Amino acid sequence: MCGIVGAAARHDIVGALLEGLQRLEYRGYDSCGLAVLDGGAIRRLRTTERVADLRAQAAGLQAGTGICHTRWATHGAPATHNAHPMLSGDAVALVHNGIIENHEELRAQLQAGGYSFDSQTDTEVIAHLVHSVYRGDLFAAVREAVRRLRGAYAIAVLHAAEPGVVVGARAGSPLVLGAGDGGHYIASDALALAGSAQRVAWLEEGDIVRIAPDGAQVVDAAQQPVQRAWHPLGAYGGATELGPYRHYMQKEIFEQPRAVADTLEGIGALDASLFGDGDGALAQARRVLILACGTSYYAGSVARHWIESLARIPVDVEVASEYRTRDSVPDADTLVVAVSQSGETADTLAALRHARALGMTRQLAICNVAGSAMMRECGLQFLTHAGVEIGVASTKAFTTQLVALALLALTLAGQRGRLDAQQQAEQLQGLRHLPAALQAALATEPQIMAWAEAFTRKPNALFLGRGMHYPIAQEGALKLKEISYIHAEAYPAGELKHGPLALVTDEMPVVVVAPNDALLDKLKSNLQEVRARGGELYVMTDAGTAIESSAGVHVIRLPEHYALLSPIVHVVPLQLLAYHTAVARGTDVDKPRNLAKSVTVE
């Protein structure tokens, strides 16, 4: 969600701060700001426009110490007076990701102590709190202040009396430490530090860090000095280049064949070592619980079909925000699978910890970010290789999650004797064919563009699927509503006559995922129900279905039926449909309103 970048260096860091902030624009934001130490005084700039406007304001500004931020509004409307950095007097500047749950109590205490507030944010409370306990050492003041905070936060703070120093702290929101020539950095995402830092260290829960040009100090949650492992900062440069594409989302849709190939690279056999399992946790599991949010939840819903049919293990798929707030029945023999693009999704992390507290300690993270909290917390891990995903609406992260979950289903089936070595080899070969299959799906783009022209004039859309393709229909509807703002809903096709059919008119486009599987004949009956009510059908099918275009029936046909892996291929045209409809409607495709890329608040 919100983005943080901070720096303390022997050279000018204003350009690096703004470049890092631009790299974080993909997370979604509604205001941004910058604070630097300029001649011993704090200079603050803020705007409710894009980072480009902040860059224009900062023209000619130079400083060696600074912090900056992109804000996604929680407490207080998107307005300049609520934009970060927040100041306390002329001494403290602070930026913050997360939510402080006891901010009202702290606000009352600070007001009683003479502090006045200029914003509606919980963040201003932290700035005044740090100011109130400052006694000449910013590192010590932040350590004292965070003891009084309840909630989730990542913060970066500077003080006018301490040039060359920035202090950061994290609890529940990510923060990464970076080191480069002549300076040190902190950021909410390592991507922000590309080009400035050569190596990074992921801070752990409760860590507090002091950075200066010549070094960094870290204390843990017990406020004991610790060393966090340094890692080379990967090559992110090309990820932020659009190349021939109009938007990052389009670029990322077309990167899916490569992302899937990268995720499968080096996999020669299906065994538990793929998931770092050396203790038999997968083999011992009697149930599977998948925890996820949004698009990742739909990946988990597809996996439920795969795991139950292949491995014959019962699977529950839970919306993470719901799971942790209900009175569930724990089972210590459950394999808990957390699925997240960022590995920092607050609801999924909280659900994972809740499951662990209930005694379900066999936990597997499927994630796209190696150093994320989720990967560090789980004993088992599978790293997808989607690469940096900048568009808020997830595409290549979703398909690589499906690949990882397919590998898990096949591994569990092999362990239980449900698939012999020959069958496993055949399934693995099918996975290796996916990049070519995805290229064939991408080739439907011209036909999809014609569909999109019709969708731009519609206020609503209905998506239908059956079996393991129902979650793909859900994902298609989610993509359309996320970026085009067309109201879209998905239903299992068999439920059509139990309510949604009342909505079907010639103004309601109905998108149907109709592969050539065992449910096709039943699905064809559902198509007839739509046509009988004057509904306009848009059918995504494949070889051998005998579904043909006719009046009111528009068909796009993929050249093969992809069997078990069909959901991975059929989602691609739905992504393209959402993308081209949004482009035709003129919406902000990569940064849709009210949404954020990495949802790090609950």
Side-chain angles (χ1 to χ4, degrees):
M1 298 180 81
C2 305
I4 288 174
V5 190
R10 298 187 187 93
H11 51 76
D12 175 44
I13 47 78
V14 174
L17 290 176
L18 292 167
E19 177 65 27
L21 214 56
Q22 283 195 298
R23 290 175 179 270
L24 298 183
E25 284 190 292
Y26 75 96
R27 287 171 170 251
Y29 66 105
D30 42 51
S31 64
C32 55
L34 167 77
V36 298
L37 287 180
D38 181 17
I42 294 174
R43 174 88 178 272
R44 178 176 65 170
L45 305 172
R46 297 185 293 177
T47 179
T48 55
E49 302 299 323
R50 294 301 187 191
V51 173
D53 182 66
L54 190 65
R55 185 183 288 278
Q57 291 186 43
L61 184 63
Q62 293 189 337
T65 309
I67 56 178
C68 58
H69 189 262
T70 52
R71 175 178 186 253
W72 189 81
T74 54
H75 296 73
T80 303
H81 70 278
N82 287 326
H84 302 198
M86 289 291 157
L87 301 185
S88 184
D90 56 2
V92 173
L94 180 144
V95 295
H96 163 229
N97 293 351
I99 291 177
I100 303 304
E101 295 172 357
N102 62 332
H103 70 98
E104 291 179 339
E105 171 191 336
L106 292 171
R107 181 184 290 257
Q109 294 171 4
L110 289 161
Q111 285 174 325
Y115 285 91
S116 60
F117 287 78
D118 298 322
S119 76
Q120 287 78 50
T121 68
D122 53 343
T123 301
E124 192 176 6
V125 167
I126 316 174
H128 288 324
L129 184 59
V130 170
H131 185 278
S132 72
V133 299
Y134 182 77
R135 302 291 183 269
D137 184 339
L138 183 60
F139 196 28
V142 172
R143 288 156 68 180
E144 182 175 346
V146 298
R147 290 194 186 104
R148 297 173 60 183
L149 301 180
R150 291 200 315 271
Y153 58 82
I155 60 173
V157 197
L158 57 80
H159 196 288
E162 297 188 43
V165 173
V166 174
V167 176
R170 65 146 300 186
S173 290
L175 202 63
V176 63
L177 169 65
D181 293 336
H184 284 80
Y185 306 84
I186 53 178
S188 51
D189 190 321
L191 174 65
L193 303 184
S196 299
Q198 284 78 52
R199 54 190 182 133
V200 294
W202 279 273
L203 299 177
E204 300 288 346
E205 187 77 358
D207 280 358
I208 305 169
V209 60
R210 177 189 186 274
I211 62 169
D214 55 355
Q217 300 169 257
V218 182
V219 297
D220 62 14
Q223 303 213 358
Q224 297 301 307
V226 291
Q227 299 289 328
R228 297 302 180 205
W230 290 101
H231 304 273
L233 182 57
Y236 284 105
T240 58
E241 300 298 327
L242 270 174
Y245 301 100
R246 292 182 63 184
H247 300 91
Y248 286 110
M249 183 178 178
Q250 185 186 30
K251 176 176 182 269
E252 289 154 10
I253 290 171
F254 276 83
E255 286 175 340
Q256 288 175 111
R258 179 206 52 78
V260 167
D262 288 350
T263 299
L264 291 167
E265 186 175 359
I267 295 176
L270 297 167
D271 58 55
S273 66
L274 293 176
F275 305 93
D277 180 15
D279 299 321
L282 297 184
Q284 295 164 21
R286 296 192 308 172
R287 302 184 66 86
V288 174
L289 170 63
I290 300 175
L291 302 172
C293 301
T295 286
S296 298
Y297 172 79
Y298 297 140
S301 298
V302 174
R304 176 181 185 175
H305 289 272
W306 288 340
I307 295 170
E308 290 192 340
S309 64
L310 291 171
R312 308 304 295 166
I313 303 172
V315 179
D316 293 310
V317 187
E318 295 266 8
V319 174
S321 57
E322 289 293 308
Y323 171 73
R324 64 180 292 249
T325 58
R326 71 179 184 83
D327 192 10
S328 58
V329 180
D331 182 345
D333 292 325
T334 297
L335 173 67
V336 180
V337 182
V339 186
S340 168
Q341 187 283 135
S342 68
E344 304 288 351
T345 308
D347 285 320
T348 308
L349 281 169
L352 189 66
R353 293 163 185 161
H354 176 65
R356 193 181 309 136
L358 294 176
M360 294 185 286
T361 57
R362 294 189 183 98
Q363 297 191 331
L364 165 64
I366 293 176
C367 181
N368 192 42
V369 180
S372 64
M374 195 170 294
M375 294 289 272
R376 297 197 306 271
E377 289 189 21
C378 290
L380 309 176
Q381 306 92 19
F382 186 96
L383 178 66
T384 60
H385 291 278
V388 176
E389 190 179 62
I390 291 176
V392 167
S394 181
T395 52
K396 61 180 180 173
F398 177 69
T399 47
T400 53
Q401 286 171 354
L402 287 173
V403 168
L405 289 162
L407 289 168
L408 177 62
L410 293 168
T411 299
L412 291 171
Q415 287 179 325
R416 286 152 181 79
R418 299 286 178 179
L419 292 176
D420 60 29
Q422 177 63 31
Q423 290 170 319
Q424 282 190 308
E426 290 171 357
Q427 294 288 357
L428 191 53
Q429 186 58 38
L431 282 164
R432 293 194 178 111
H433 176 61
L434 273 174
L438 292 170
Q439 289 288 6
L442 290 167
T444 65
E445 186 178 35
Q447 296 165 274
I448 290 292
M449 292 172 71
W451 284 14
E453 287 299 319
F455 274 70
T456 59
R457 302 184 293 275
K458 305 296 184 182
N460 305 286
L462 187 63
F463 287 68
L464 302 177
R466 297 195 78 130
M468 62 184 177
H469 293 90
Y470 167 50
I472 297 305
Q474 291 178 294
E475 173 64 8
L478 176 63
K479 285 291 159 285
L480 188 67
K481 73 179 83 171
E482 279 182 313
I483 62 170
S484 76
Y485 314 145
I486 292 173
H487 174 253
E489 295 298 333
Y491 281 87
E495 282 291 291
L496 189 62
K497 55 189 173 293
H498 296 291
L501 200 58
L503 298 173
V504 173
T505 69
D506 58 3
E507 284 298 304
M508 171 72 82
V510 180
V511 181
V512 185
V513 185
N516 190 14
D517 60 16
L519 298 173
L520 179 63
D521 287 341
K522 292 184 179 297
L523 190 59
K524 286 180 177 178
S525 297
N526 303 135
L527 304 188
Q528 293 302 319
E529 292 170 346
V530 172
R531 284 302 299 137
R533 275 78 181 177
E536 195 91 353
L537 284 166
Y538 295 82
V539 184
M540 189 62 55
T541 188
D542 54 33
T545 58
I547 300 174
E548 303 295 340
S549 296
S550 60
V553 181
H554 312 273
V555 176
I556 291 178
R557 191 182 310 281
L558 299 176
E560 303 175 64
H561 174 54
Y562 303 98
L564 177 82
L565 303 177
S566 176
I568 302 175
V569 183
H570 272 278
V571 76
V572 172
L574 300 184
Q575 295 169 347
L576 288 168
L577 176 62
Y579 170 75
H580 284 291
T581 302
V583 169
R585 287 168 66 91
T587 63
D588 191 341
V589 172
D590 288 329
K591 295 183 281 289
R593 67 188 182 204
N594 304 333
L595 299 181
K597 181 65 180 173
S598 180
V599 185
T600 55
V601 296
E602 295 175 24

